[in-house]
Amino acid sequence: PIKSLRVESAGTAAIAGEKASANSVEALRPAKLSLGKHRSQSVSENLVNRAALIVGMTDSHLYSVQQVFPEVADRLILFREFLPVKQIPDPYGQNLAAYVEARDAMVEALPSLVKHIKSLYDIEEAS
């Protein structure tokens, strides 16, 4: 089932072990999502080898991954691949409004991304 899939976050320029930014925490508060245990990690060989799909926010993120790990090119996809506006600007270091905008762009894209994942891996809805 789709709920059994594991999702991990990694950055192309992340410093490993950092806590989520205050703006990340605040942007997710209305959704009642906690980032209290979140720690940043960099994209690594271990992560890409385990990943069935690698989802990026921007073309440049995916390009960075592909430059280091060319063998994963067929597993790279944009978060908003199936929507007219495909890029989600990285809010890192910006104000709360940028984080809220990124959150909303991801929320808008989730249904199409989940539909794609289900079709790729022949996952059906639980009854």
Side-chain angles (χ1 to χ4, degrees), residues 8-93:
E8 293 189 51
S9 172
T12 57
I15 299 170
E18 296 288 315
K19 291 182 179 182
S21 71
N23 284 337
S24 291
V25 171
E26 191 60 33
L28 293 178
R29 190 178 314 280
K32 296 185 177 17
L33 296 174
S34 172
L35 293 175
K37 294 182 181 181
H38 176 81
R39 296 295 178 269
S40 61
Q41 64 179 335
S42 293
V43 175
S44 67
E45 184 175 8
N46 182 20
L47 278 175
V48 298
N49 287 339
R50 290 186 291 132
L53 193 64
I54 300 165
V55 181
M57 292 172 51
T58 66
D59 287 330
S60 64
H61 290 145
L62 296 182
Y63 179 79
S64 295
V65 172
Q66 188 172 357
Q67 291 306 297
V68 179
F69 306 102
E71 69 278 9
V72 303
D74 63 334
R75 290 186 275 150
L76 299 174
I77 189 170
L78 284 169
F79 204 106
R80 292 179 58 93
E81 186 72 35
F82 309 102
L83 297 175
V85 176
K86 302 207 179 299
Q87 309 296 305
I88 301 174
D90 191 343
Y92 183 76

Side-chain angles (χ1 to χ4, degrees), residues 1-7 114 117-119 121-127:
I2 194 84
K3 290 182 180 181
S4 69
L5 296 179
R6 181 181 171 107
V7 176
V114 168
I117 292 168
K118 287 179 178 181
S119 70
Y121 303 105
D122 199 28
I123 299 170
E124 294 185 22
E125 290 289 333
S127 342

